[in-house]
Amino acid sequence: MKLSSLADYAVVLMGAAARHCGGVRVSAAMLAAETGVPVPTAQKIVSLLTRAGLLRSSRGTGGGIQLARPAAAISLADIVEAIEGPIAMAACVDAGRHDCALEGSCKVQPHWGAVNGAIKSALGQVSLASLSHDHITTGAPA
Amino acid sequence: MKLSSLADYAVVLMGAAARHCGGVRVSAAMLAAETGVPVPTAQKIVSLLTRAGLLRSSRGTGGGIQLARPAAAISLADIVEAIEGPIAMAACVDAGRHDCALEGSCKVQPHWGAVNGAIKSALGQVSLASLSHDHITTGAPA
DNA sequence: GGGCAATCAGACCGATCTGGTCTGATTGGA
DNA sequence: TCCAATCAGACCAGATCGGTCTGATTGCCC
Ligand code: SF4
Ligand code: SF4
């Protein structure tokens, strides 16, 4: 029940990128130096984020990355899903996935849907824009 | 962003145990046979749950386990924390834990508290009693 | 009172995944 | 044309998880 370090760093990097949104493209190395994340790790995260469609990247000299969407349209859920894959607490919430041998006899299976939806919603209501504010915006339901 | 199989199985086992609440003590093997979880794994989970104080166990012939508290007083958060440790999305939400090198310069750190609380709350509002019902009770906020 | 069977409890090991580093492909500028 | 800068993907060590096994403890039965 904890998200991976990669995902955590991804949030930090995206937050830093959001502050440079109006400016020019920034390189992954710049973001790494700004946040303290190791440079190679930052490159890998940027790669994943770009592949997921959250960032727009340009290679070559003077290249860099920038947000593919406005900061207000990117949520924590998007970032987490980009790094860790779909948000699915149990193995049976994702339709089409049937990796659990207990399906059919499992009594709690139908309940996971609601719980999973609640968590996904909690993460979806926190946008990058709210992360840029210094004060705490209770973007998530209490 | 997914919980471990052990925690998932723990929820299933606790749900099965809750149905036997009014009866006699049940053995871990019985619950395993009833749910389909491998027997040794079920024993391990029962062990962890007992150590966490969610179950009351008795050794010896005729021994077994029973809920330490009413089913309505046990939530998903309790079970998950018993298996996976404290619910802390990032490394900096738990007061006293300072394992992250980015603390101090990290801009998103103060926001994790609200998110973490929201998720913990979502899991805390689902009780074992609601899991025993067949119909879906939206015990979690939409 | 002694032996036995049943049960929980903890230690051990293999497998999977994560986290991190490295090298290569690509692009723009000098 | 060459070079420097940057992203992109492959590679490997470490940690954690999942599962199995054996041992300690208790109550029952003889
Ligand atoms: S079927 Fe039951 S045990 Fe299997 S993943 Fe779903 S909730 Fe968990
Ligand atoms: S300080 Fe920042 S990077 Fe470190 S755990 Fe907290 S949120 Fe994540």
Side-chain angles (χ1 to χ4, degrees), chain A residues 14-103:
Chain A
M14 288 293 279
R19 293 190 202 88
H20 292 281
C21 182
V24 301
R25 299 168 193 267
V26 292
S27 68
M30 280 177 60
L31 289 174
E34 188 171 340
T35 57
V37 177
V39 176
T41 300
Q43 287 184 348
K44 184 197 186 85
I45 294 176
V46 165
S47 230
L48 290 173
L49 256 39
T50 302
R51 193 189 311 177
L54 265 60
L55 289 178
R56 180 70 51 178
S57 69
S58 300
R59 297 214 270 199
T61 308
I65 54 174
Q66 58 183 16
L67 297 181
R69 283 183 286 173
I74 300 179
S75 69
L76 279 184
D78 295 328
I79 302 175
V80 172
E81 285 195 338
I83 302 293
E84 300 202 335
I87 295 179
M89 307 282 290
C92 59
V93 294
D94 196 355
R97 288 282 177 282
H98 298 293
D99 298 340
C100 182
L102 306 185
E103 284 197 62

Side-chain angles (χ1 to χ4, degrees), chain B residues 49-123:
Chain B
L49 256 39
T50 302
R51 193 187 310 177
L54 265 60
L55 290 177
R56 181 71 48 180
S57 69
S58 299
R59 296 214 269 200
T61 309
I65 54 175
Q66 58 184 14
L67 298 182
R69 282 183 287 172
I74 299 180
S75 68
L76 278 183
D78 295 328
I79 303 175
V80 172
E81 286 196 338
I83 302 293
E84 300 202 333
I87 296 179
M89 306 283 290
C92 59
V93 294
D94 195 356
R97 288 282 177 284
H98 297 292
D99 298 339
C100 182
L102 305 186
E103 283 197 64
S105 64
C106 182
K107 296 293 195 302
V108 302
Q109 177 179 358
H111 300 282
W112 275 122
V115 177
N116 198 66
I119 291 184
K120 201 183 295 187
S121 168
L123 262 62

Side-chain angles (χ1 to χ4, degrees), chain A residues 13 30-31 50 66 77 88 100-101 106 121 126 135 137:
Chain A
L13 289 174
M30 280 177 60
L31 289 174
T50 302
Q66 58 183 16
C100 182
C106 183
S121 169
V126 181
H135 65 86
T137 61

Side-chain angles (χ1 to χ4, degrees), chain A residues 1-4 8-9 11-12 15 19 34-37 76 80 84 86-91 100-102 105-108 110-112 114-115 117-119 121-123 125-126 130-142, chain B residues 1-4 8-9 11-12 15 19 34-37 76 80 84 86-91 100-102 105-108 110-112 114-115 117-119 121-123 125-126 130-142:
Chain A
M1 198 49 213
K2 70 174 191 51
L3 48 81
S4 62
D8 185 11
Y9 287 171
V11 174
V12 176
R19 293 190 202 88
E34 188 171 340
T35 57
V37 177
L76 279 184
V80 172
E84 300 202 335
I87 295 179
M89 307 282 290
C100 182
L102 306 185
S105 64
C106 183
K107 296 293 193 305
V108 302
H111 299 280
W112 275 123
V115 176
I119 291 184
S121 169
L123 263 61
Q125 289 182 4
V126 181
S130 63
L131 288 181
S132 301
H133 302 159
D134 282 344
H135 65 86
I136 299 175
T137 61
T138 59
Chain B
M1 197 48 214
K2 70 174 189 54
L3 48 81
S4 62
D8 186 10
Y9 287 169
V11 174
V12 177
R19 291 190 204 89
E34 187 171 340
T35 57
V37 177
L76 278 183
V80 172
E84 300 202 333
I87 296 179
M89 306 283 290
C100 182
L102 305 186
S105 64
C106 182
K107 296 293 195 302
V108 302
H111 300 282
W112 275 122
V115 177
I119 291 184
S121 168
L123 262 62
Q125 289 183 4
V126 181
S130 63
L131 288 181
S132 301
H133 302 159
D134 281 345
H135 64 86
I136 299 177
T137 62
T138 58

